[in-house]
Amino acid sequence: MWIEAAIGVAGTLMGTALGWGLNELSSRGKVNVCITSWEERFYYREDFIHEIASQSIEQTEFYDYEMSADLYNSSSNQRIMRDIKIVFKDGKAQLKESTPMISSPAQSKGYITPSRNGCMNIPPKTILSFNICGREPHSGGDLDFIWKAKSIYLNYIDEHNKVKSIKIKDEDFSHYFDNHKSEDSQNG
């Protein structure tokens, strides 16, 4: 009789351990980020209304960027992207950190809550698209950092307070206009 009770207790403990283990496995996963597009524009203002594409570093007054990305949460738990930034680097050193505007992704069952402070909740096993944009300088600054930049990253803080960094592009911006003039002449 006590053998049957011991088998029952052992079975219960094994079932609990197996359930806990399977739950731990299913909650593993991460946010996968796929950059689908990156566009940038250098320009100056002829007056307060007309914006004209720059042809040189000296002519440039403003730099705009737009990015689209797809996010996939492979976990069975909700994940968070906080403090979303665009970071300009020269090799390893950070030159500038820009806080972009986040446009609202398509709502899915009311779970997705993007905000202007760079925070986004991503439901489990969900793919969503989002867009960000920014302008430098915001007001009265200069663009010296961009001409020293060699790469651009998307940085965010996850739910474990770890900084995640995804490379968007590599480019030597000191030669931006030389490199893109040759492309424009080949396409034109």
Side-chain angles (χ1 to χ4, degrees):
M1 178 145 125
W2 63 272
I3 294 176
E4 291 174 5
I7 291 173
V9 170
T12 301
L13 290 175
M14 287 176 55
T16 302
L18 180 64
W20 175 81
L22 290 174
N23 185 43
E24 283 297 310
L25 284 175
S26 71
S27 68
R28 292 180 188 241
K30 62 179 187 171
V31 174
N32 297 297
V33 180
C34 176
I35 308 294
T36 55
S37 73
W38 174 264
E39 295 179 23
E40 54 200 356
R41 184 173 72 110
F42 294 91
Y43 64 97
Y44 65 96
R45 287 202 174 138
E46 189 174 63
D47 50 38
F48 288 112
I49 299 171
H50 299 96
E51 296 175 346
I52 300 172
S54 299
Q55 301 299 314
S56 68
I57 291 174
E58 296 77 22
Q59 208 176 35
T60 304
E61 295 176 356
F62 297 96
Y63 169 73
D64 285 354
Y65 60 84
E66 290 183 31
M67 184 192 83
S68 297
D70 291 334
L71 306 174
Y72 173 62
N73 178 3
S74 62
S75 168
S76 62
N77 294 334
Q78 183 160 313
R79 299 290 185 200
I80 299 170
M81 288 179 74
R82 289 183 286 131
D83 200 22
I84 297 170
K85 305 280 186 194
I86 298 297
V87 177
F88 299 87
K89 292 185 177 183
D90 174 15
K92 301 265 182 201
Q94 179 176 313
L95 299 171
K96 173 80 173 176
E97 192 175 77
S98 174
T99 303
M101 298 291 292
I102 302 173
S103 65
S104 297
Q107 293 290 322
S108 171
K109 300 180 186 175
Y111 294 130
I112 302 163
T113 55
S115 63
R116 291 185 184 272
N117 66 358
C119 186
M120 203 173 330
N121 293 320
I122 307 161
K125 306 292 183 191
T126 301
I127 297 174
L128 64 95
S129 295
F130 79 105
N131 301 308
I132 63 173
C133 63
R135 172 176 285 181
E136 294 296 334
H138 290 293
S139 62
D142 61 38
L143 289 175
D144 289 344
F145 73 92
I146 195 73
W147 312 123
K148 297 173 187 171
K150 304 278 189 250
S151 56
I152 303 174
Y153 290 82
L154 169 70
N155 283 8
Y156 69 93
I157 299 173
D158 69 6
E159 65 280 354
H160 302 293
N161 286 330
K162 292 184 181 176
V163 175
K164 302 292 183 175
S165 188
I166 294 99
K167 185 179 281 191
I168 296 172
K169 75 178 282 187
D170 284 324
E171 180 154 0
D172 184 354
F173 283 91
S174 63
H175 300 294
Y176 181 87
F177 292 102
D178 295 333
N179 295 341
H180 291 272
K181 280 181 186 174
S182 62
E183 289 175 7
D184 291 341
S185 65
Q186 290 174 359
N187 294 335

